[in-house]
Amino acid sequence: ILTDRDMRQKLAAAIGKLDPDHRMVLVMKEYDRMTYSQIADVFDASPGTIKSWLHRSKRQLARLLKESEVF
């Protein structure tokens, strides 16, 4: 059984393995609560591109967490 501390460590490690741009999109959306348009402005990209990056980052994050036996 994983403790909360173990889970936080594994989550941080998995996030650290994401592509840097995808990691930043994830952090901006989920932690900073920025809108797709705001994030798109930062990256000079379309909101659709940001949605795609976020989807990929979440999918990769889920795979990494599964590999580290969090799920």
Side-chain angles (χ1 to χ4, degrees), residues 38-57:
Q38 290 170 324
I39 299 168
D41 288 344
V42 171
F43 283 93
D44 194 27
S46 73
T49 296
I50 299 305
K51 287 178 184 179
S52 176
W53 288 3
L54 183 62
H55 177 74
R56 279 189 222 141
S57 65

Side-chain angles (χ1 to χ4, degrees), residues 5 18 20 34 41 48 50 67:
R5 181 177 179 215
L18 297 175
M34 293 174 70
D41 288 344
I50 299 305
E67 288 173 3

Side-chain angles (χ1 to χ4, degrees), residues 2 6 12-15 21 32 37 48 56 59 61 63-64 71:
L2 292 174
D6 291 336
I15 290 172
D21 287 342
D32 297 335
S37 294
R56 279 189 222 141
R59 195 173 58 215
L61 184 60
R63 182 182 55 78
L64 291 166
F71 294 123

Side-chain angles (χ1 to χ4, degrees), residues 7-22:
M7 279 185 74
R8 283 193 301 272
Q9 288 175 338
K10 288 183 183 274
L11 178 59
I15 290 172
K17 291 179 182 178
L18 297 175
D19 173 82
D21 287 342
H22 294 177

